[in-house]
Amino acid sequence: MEDIGLLFDFDQDGSTDFAFWGQMDQNFHFQTQLESFLMDCQAASGQLSPWSTFGCQSVFSDAQLTLTDLDVQSPGLGVCAEGEGCPADEPLEAAKRRTRRLVVHQPYKVQRHAANIRERKRMLSINSAFEELRCHVPMFPYEKRLSKIDTLRLAIAYIALLREILMSGSDPKSYIDECMKNGYKNQSDAIWNTSDLTARLSWIKWD
DNA sequence: TAGGCCATCTGGTCCT
DNA sequence: AGGACCAGATGGCCTA
């Protein structure tokens, strides 16, 4: 039984986009396992842009085994070595050809890469939440994308103002107009410039 | 060119 | 033990 690791760099930027590792014994059916894994990758890549193309390069320059080893030990796979001018097949085949098999002498490295990938996915989900939040805070039509910190601060100020409107029981539009005329005094300590906030709200269609 | 913003990597800590 | 979460470090990109 030996450890193997597969590292995928789909966008060919030199960093690992997906890692897969496990143990392999004599009965290990490499092709089946790899195909099923690549199907997972394809499914995942649909959600995790920018993984749009398959192009794999080993990130371990000191890999102990190469595609030649893979060829010998998994004769059914039909892979060819880099630079052999393989025909352009569908992405799955291309990925298989470019996949590197590694004997993991550095299990920490592989685990670290897997952790990096998870962290990247986590950050992607946070960023998508920020995008969603940006859609719910008042923006000027001509305004460029808000930074994360500005999005948070504006959201805080916006929520505070909405609460005040609710508490006042008055019509939102006239409340905003009044704020524009007299200057909005925020009851909270929101960092966001409050006159800027009311100006933003004046763009909102309240009916 | 400095400063702001961001993505990524990394190691530490907490949680399941 | 492994994954989630977090914060610090770093480097790239953009803008004033």
Side-chain angles (χ1 to χ4, degrees):
Chain A
M1 191 85 89
E2 93 187 321
D3 286 327
I4 65 161
L6 299 173
L7 303 174
F8 296 85
D9 179 10
F10 296 144
D11 47 13
Q12 293 184 286
D13 63 351
S15 65
T16 304
D17 296 319
F18 227 110
F20 167 81
W21 66 95
Q23 291 196 312
M24 185 176 91
D25 58 24
Q26 284 92 348
N27 299 320
F28 183 88
H29 201 304
F30 189 84
Q31 185 170 8
T32 306
Q33 298 262 349
L34 178 59
E35 276 181 2
S36 123
F37 169 64
L38 287 174
M39 294 304 281
D40 289 345
C41 288
Q42 281 184 309
S45 67
Q47 297 173 341
L48 301 169
S49 61
W51 300 347
S52 55
T53 59
F54 283 87
C56 305
Q57 290 263 332
S58 170
V59 297
F60 290 165
S61 56
D62 55 348
Q64 299 285 320
L65 291 181
T66 65
L67 288 172
T68 308
D69 304 297
L70 187 60
D71 248 345
V72 170
Q73 295 182 23
S74 302
L77 192 53
V79 294
C80 55
E82 203 169 29
E84 273 185 9
C86 303
D89 299 318
E90 66 271 21
L92 194 66
E93 291 302 314
K96 274 190 274 183
R97 278 199 305 275
R98 295 180 188 174
T99 300
R100 296 291 184 275
R101 175 171 169 268
L102 307 172
V103 171
V104 183
H105 291 295
Q106 302 140 307
Y108 171 78
K109 261 192 169 182
V110 176
Q111 280 201 334
R112 191 55 258 174
H113 272 92
N116 290 347
I117 292 160
R118 284 195 305 273
E119 176 65 9
R120 234 178 292 155
K121 284 168 66 179
R122 196 181 70 85
M123 292 309 296
L124 281 175
S125 76
I126 291 174
N127 288 342
S128 71
F130 266 104
E131 284 304 327
E132 207 174 326
L133 183 57
R134 282 187 185 101
C135 296
H136 289 85
V137 294
M139 299 245 328
F140 296 121
Y142 50 82
E143 194 170 32
K144 66 171 190 175
R145 185 172 171 271
L146 284 173
S147 70
K148 290 178 180 177
I149 186 69
D150 280 344
T151 302
L152 287 179
R153 286 172 174 161
L154 180 56
I156 291 168
Y158 186 32
I159 291 168
L161 178 63
L162 291 178
R163 185 173 49 215
E164 285 169 29
I165 292 174
L166 274 177
M167 301 288 279
S168 75
S170 52
D171 172 59
K173 175 96 172 63
S174 49
Y175 191 95
I176 298 300
D177 288 345
E178 198 63 26
C179 288
M180 292 287 282
K181 262 185 264 173
N182 303 332
Y184 171 57
K185 274 292 176 197
N186 196 333
Q187 290 174 11
S188 71
D189 288 333
I191 296 171
W192 193 268
N193 182 312
T194 51
S195 63
D196 188 85
L197 174 59
T198 50
R200 286 161 184 277
L201 290 173
S202 68
W203 283 89
I204 293 180
K205 306 244 182 287
W206 293 94
D207 36 79

